[in-house]
Amino acid sequence: METYFGIRSQTYADKAQHLLNRYRYPYRVTRVTGEEGCVYRFRVAAAQQDILDLLDAYGIPYQPPS
């Protein structure tokens, strides 16, 4: 099971990475530059609801994959 989401801020992307490391979720992040600026796209090897609940609990804004 994999979860995909994007984060627009480098600060929040860094926080998300620290959080995923802390809870030992394997992930990959790529930085994509588009018309609206940079987006950090995450792919996490975990159930979607677990990851989104974790991000919500720590106040990290995210967007669903486009």
Side-chain angles (χ1 to χ4, degrees), residues 5-9 12-13 15-16 55-56 58-63:
F5 62 91
I7 295 180
R8 292 204 167 276
S9 159
Y12 282 119
K15 289 181 180 184
L55 295 173
D56 287 337
Y58 283 87
I60 298 175
Y62 59 89
Q63 59 188 22

Side-chain angles (χ1 to χ4, degrees), residues 12-62:
Y12 282 119
D14 290 343
K15 289 181 180 184
Q17 288 181 64
H18 289 293
L19 190 60
L20 294 170
N21 284 329
R22 178 179 177 188
Y23 286 90
R24 299 175 193 228
Y25 285 111
Y27 69 92
R28 284 192 177 273
V29 63
T30 55
R31 180 178 166 208
V32 179
T33 304
E35 294 176 8
E36 297 179 14
C38 293
V39 175
Y40 297 86
R41 293 192 178 162
F42 285 78
R43 183 177 76 186
V44 184
Q48 181 175 355
Q49 197 59 48
D50 293 342
I51 298 303
L52 300 184
D53 287 346
L54 186 63
L55 295 173
D56 287 337
Y58 283 87
I60 298 175
Y62 59 89

